[in-house]
């Protein structure tokens, strides 16, 4: 089969977990890991793909989690949102070192540090070829950054939500526990629900399904996987209507 020569998608929403930035560290940001991700993103932008990113904060919050035990849930969630802003700034800096122009927009209003989320500005940045990094989730407690990815993806008209994980797709069972587990190349939203596959949190999954916004689950740890997904290669698992 001849390899595709042009991207299969024009506008993408990439969901990065905070844990993806840790590398082999227990928590925090591993500089080598984040610079490698910046290189992967650079390869995609060179394909003239418009790229928006929603980033989690679990890597930073993990370091303070013991002190947060017993804390009010809403307070803990706001702390997690602040962690996503720290990650967004770190990723913006890494992209800057690779010559990429990136903008951070936050659902929380901290104008001295990052600009607020304004949809028309985000759309204009994407059209100008800038990478847009959405931080602070939805700005509301009790909602995950998965939900923020589904929401922002729908708002900016993304053709695909990419969920970058440490596993190279969706499996019939936990591949770490079951050696016979098989990876799905494609699966429908309804099939995933019937088989009780945990792909995203229920709110995010339902939003993508309702908006007919496909999800691609892939491993961010595989070199070149991000570009291969965008070129339409058989990488990871596509969840579709």
């Amino acid at each position: 089969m001849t390899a595709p020569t042009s991207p299969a998608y024009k506008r993408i929403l990439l969901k990065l977990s905070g844990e993806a930035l840790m590398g082999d560290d227990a928590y925090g940001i591993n500089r080598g890991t984040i610079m490698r991700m910046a290189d992967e993103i650079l390869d995609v932008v060179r394909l003239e793909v418009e790229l928006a990113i929603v980033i989690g904060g679990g890597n930073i919050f993990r370091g303070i989690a013991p002190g947060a035990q017993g804390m009010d849930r809403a307070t803990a969630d706001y702390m997690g949102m602040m962690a996503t802003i720290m990650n967004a700034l770190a990723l913006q800096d890494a992209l800057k070192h690779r010559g990429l122009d990136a903008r951070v927009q936050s659902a929380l209003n901290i104008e001295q540090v990052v600009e607020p989320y304004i949809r028309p500005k985000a759309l204009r940045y994407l059209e100008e070829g800038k990478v847009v990094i959405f931080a602070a989730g939805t700005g509301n407690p009790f909602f995950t950054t998965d939900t923020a990815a589904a929401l922002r993806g729908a708002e900016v008209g993304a053709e695909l939500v990419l969920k970058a994980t440490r596993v190279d797709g969706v499996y019939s069972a936990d591949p770490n526990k079951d050696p016979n587990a098989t990876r799905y190349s494609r699966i429908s939203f309804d099939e995933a629900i019937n088989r009780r596959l945990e792909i995203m949190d229920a709110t995010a999954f339902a939003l993508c399904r309702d908006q007919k916004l496909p999800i691609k689950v892939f491993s961010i740890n595989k070199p070149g996987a991000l570009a291969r997904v965008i070129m339409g290669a058989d990488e990871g698992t596509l969840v579709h209507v």
Side-chain angles (χ1 to χ4, degrees), residues 155-202:
E155 286 182 305
V156 302
E159 300 169 62
L160 180 72
V161 170
L162 297 180
K163 181 163 183 179
T165 69
R166 295 186 176 189
V167 182
D168 64 341
V170 178
Y171 281 76
S172 57
D174 186 343
N176 295 318
K177 298 178 180 179
D178 185 353
N180 296 318
T182 56
R183 177 179 68 86
Y184 298 106
S185 176
R186 300 169 61 93
I187 189 168
S188 71
F189 282 96
D190 290 342
E191 287 176 308
I193 292 170
N194 292 336
R195 296 177 186 180
R196 298 183 179 182
L197 301 174
E198 296 181 1
I199 296 171
M200 278 184 162
D201 75 69

Side-chain angles (χ1 to χ4, degrees), residues 9 13 30 56 62 64 71 84-85 98 107 120 134 143 161 188 199 206-207 209 213 220 233 236-237:
Y9 305 95
L13 189 292
N30 181 285
R62 182 177 298 185
I64 58 176
M71 184 178 291
T84 71
I85 294 172
R98 292 296 185 255
F134 297 120
F143 290 90
V161 170
S188 71
I199 296 171
L207 180 55
R209 181 190 181 198
L213 181 56
I220 194 65
T237 300

Side-chain angles (χ1 to χ4, degrees), residues 49-95:
V49 172
E50 297 173 1
L51 182 65
I53 300 171
V54 167
I55 196 162
N59 57 318
I60 292 177
F61 192 76
R62 182 177 298 185
I64 58 176
Q69 290 182 1
M71 184 178 291
D72 175 78
R73 168 66 188 276
T75 300
D77 281 357
Y78 280 118
M79 292 173 67
M81 291 180 215
M82 298 298 293
T84 71
I85 294 172
M86 296 170 68
N87 280 338
L89 290 171
L91 182 58
Q92 180 188 41
D93 180 77
L95 294 175

Side-chain angles (χ1 to χ4, degrees), residues 24-240:
D24 294 327
D25 299 340
Y27 58 85
I29 299 169
N30 181 285
R31 186 64 178 173
T33 299
I34 200 170
M35 293 307 297
R36 180 184 62 79
M37 288 187 183
D39 289 334
E40 299 262 348
I41 291 168
L42 175 61
D43 288 342
V44 167
V45 172
R46 283 174 172 166
L47 296 172
E48 298 184 355
V49 172
E50 297 173 1
L51 182 65
I53 300 171
V54 167
I55 196 162
N59 57 318
I60 292 177
F61 192 76
R62 182 177 298 185
I64 58 176
Q69 290 182 1
M71 184 178 291
D72 175 78
R73 168 66 188 276
T75 300
D77 281 357
Y78 280 118
M79 292 173 67
M81 291 180 215
M82 298 298 293
T84 71
I85 294 172
M86 296 170 68
N87 280 338
L89 290 171
L91 182 58
Q92 180 188 41
D93 180 77
L95 294 175
K96 179 181 177 181
H97 278 80
R98 292 296 185 255
L100 278 175
D101 195 357
R103 295 287 188 273
V104 177
Q105 290 196 339
S106 169
L108 294 180
N109 194 0
I110 315 176
E111 292 190 43
Q112 294 91 334
V113 182
V114 290
E115 64 182 77
Y117 169 65
I118 301 173
R119 179 174 174 269
K121 289 186 71 174
L123 290 170
R124 187 174 77 245
Y125 289 150
L126 290 171
E127 290 165 359
E128 292 171 349
K130 297 179 175 67
V131 176
V132 181
I133 307 170
F134 297 120
T138 67
N140 306 103
F142 308 108
F143 290 90
T144 69
T145 49
D146 276 355
T147 300
L151 178 62
R152 298 291 183 248
E155 286 182 305
V156 302
E159 300 169 62
L160 180 72
V161 170
L162 297 180
K163 181 163 183 179
T165 69
R166 295 186 176 189
V167 182
D168 64 341
V170 178
Y171 281 76
S172 57
D174 186 343
N176 295 318
K177 298 178 180 179
D178 185 353
N180 296 318
T182 56
R183 177 179 68 86
Y184 298 106
S185 176
R186 300 169 61 93
I187 189 168
S188 71
F189 282 96
D190 290 342
E191 287 176 308
I193 292 170
N194 292 336
R195 296 177 186 180
R196 298 183 179 182
L197 301 174
E198 296 181 1
I199 296 171
M200 278 184 162
D201 75 69
T203 303
F205 199 73
L207 180 55
C208 286
R209 181 190 181 198
D210 291 346
Q211 296 299 315
K212 296 180 173 54
L213 181 56
I215 304 166
K216 187 88 165 185
V217 182
F218 75 105
S219 173
I220 194 65
N221 293 330
K222 291 177 65 176
L226 177 58
R228 288 195 297 273
V229 167
I230 290 174
M231 294 298 288
D234 181 19
E235 185 77 41
T237 300
L238 179 68
V239 186
H240 59 91

